[in-house]
Amino acid sequence: MHSVQLPSVSNFYRSVLYIGTVLFGLLGMNSAFAQSLPENYEFALGVTYEMSSGKNGNLKKGEQMGMWFSNQPYTGMEVPKQKGFFMVMDLKDQKMVTLMTDQKMAMVMDLKKMQEKMKGQVKEENPSDVKITKTGKSETILGYKCDQYLIETSDGQSLVWITTELGSGMGNLAKSLSSILSSGPKPVGLPSMKGIENGVLMRLESTDKKSGNSTRIEAVNVNKDGKKFPTAGYNVMAMPGM
């Protein structure tokens, strides 16, 4: 784990949009990189998280990020104030799909290739170096009972609050967040969630021992109505080299 300032997710979105627009203009709709999408992306639960970061306990609120959980092996993501974008982390096919709704465009990135390019920029913990302990403490967040866990690594420690009252999705969320944040302009590593994959994350507080940098992710809204995202009419292509 390496806790640093969280990158701006909306800036990452804007970079993807710019690249996508340029590529579509240069390559056109007959691009050799064209790919297909499933007919629909379906999600059963949405949770909006507020992300904060700072140093020595002085945290500054940053972006809000909406995460959508599915019964399928993918997770959806959106930034509420950044309209016209929806991102899907397909863990089965190891693809990140960015849907630009206004332009009816979709950019597909290969997560394996992205992670290979970022290799070495984010420290990876050996599973044997990660200790996860259920503290026995609990707290109610947004009306849901959450159990607290302590995650300790060589670099620092994290406290996470997990609820099982909203179903499962923790494993997919952890993998999706890790892929997104480690692939952005300023790579960030999150603590391993192995062993607490069941349930839904409601709060995470992480502190780096050496730098004093802290990260906080907390649920501020829960949507149990679900979301269905049709992909008909989208022009789809993969990013060259991705």
Side-chain angles (χ1 to χ4, degrees):
M1 175 187 68
H2 184 55
S3 300
V4 297
Q5 293 287 101
L6 287 170
S8 171
V9 180
S10 60
N11 285 342
F12 187 34
Y13 268 5
R14 282 192 286 269
S15 298
V16 172
L17 172 60
Y18 174 76
I19 293 170
T21 303
V22 171
L23 287 175
F24 270 101
L26 291 174
L27 301 174
M29 295 303 105
N30 295 319
S31 168
F33 301 105
Q35 296 198 357
S36 61
L37 296 178
E39 183 178 348
N40 295 291
Y41 286 113
E42 298 188 46
F43 305 93
L45 174 74
V47 181
T48 301
Y49 296 96
E50 187 170 76
M51 306 171 72
S52 304
S53 60
K55 194 167 185 176
N56 298 322
N58 298 315
L59 301 183
K60 182 179 179 181
K61 291 183 180 180
E63 302 273 9
Q64 285 194 350
M65 179 174 62
M67 301 297 296
W68 289 89
F69 301 94
S70 174
N71 295 324
Q72 302 300 315
Y74 52 71
T75 302
M77 172 190 161
E78 60 186 345
V79 178
K81 76 173 187 178
Q82 191 74 25
K83 304 299 182 182
F85 289 92
F86 194 83
M87 186 180 290
V88 179
M89 305 297 293
D90 189 329
L91 301 174
K92 179 180 178 182
D93 294 332
Q94 286 293 292
K95 303 290 185 183
M96 181 173 75
V97 181
T98 301
L99 300 162
M100 291 159 268
T101 57
D102 293 340
Q103 295 82 7
K104 285 288 184 176
M105 292 163 47
M107 295 295 300
V108 181
M109 298 185 189
D110 189 311
L111 289 176
K112 287 184 178 179
K113 290 183 179 178
M114 264 202 303
Q115 289 166 354
E116 286 174 4
K117 289 187 177 183
M118 304 308 296
K119 195 174 182 179
Q121 296 192 42
V122 178
K123 181 178 177 181
E124 296 182 4
E125 292 285 348
N126 186 319
S128 62
D129 295 332
V130 179
K131 181 181 178 182
I132 299 177
T133 305
K134 188 173 183 179
T135 66
K137 297 180 180 179
S138 63
E139 186 175 339
T140 300
I141 301 175
L142 296 181
Y144 301 98
K145 182 183 176 182
C146 304
D147 292 318
Q148 184 191 75
Y149 293 83
L150 172 65
I151 304 174
E152 298 174 282
T153 72
S154 58
D155 286 335
Q157 66 176 30
S158 300
L159 286 172
V160 297
W161 286 259
I162 309 294
T163 182
T164 57
E165 296 180 357
L166 289 170
S168 186
M170 185 63 202
N172 283 352
L173 170 63
K175 292 175 184 176
S176 298
L177 276 177
S178 180
S179 294
I180 292 169
L181 297 179
S182 66
S183 303
K186 297 179 180 179
V188 177
L190 290 179
S192 169
M193 301 294 177
K194 188 174 182 180
I196 52 174
E197 294 95 339
N198 295 325
V200 172
L201 174 72
M202 296 299 281
R203 182 189 297 151
L204 178 149
E205 296 177 353
S206 178
T207 303
D208 184 82
K209 291 179 180 178
K210 295 181 180 179
S211 66
N213 288 331
S214 298
T215 297
R216 180 185 176 98
I217 301 174
E218 181 162 10
V220 294
N221 186 61
V222 172
N223 183 331
K224 296 193 289 186
D225 294 333
K227 180 192 285 282
K228 187 175 182 179
F229 205 107
T231 62
Y234 275 79
N235 295 307
V236 188
M237 64 179 293
M239 289 187 64
M242 289 292 186

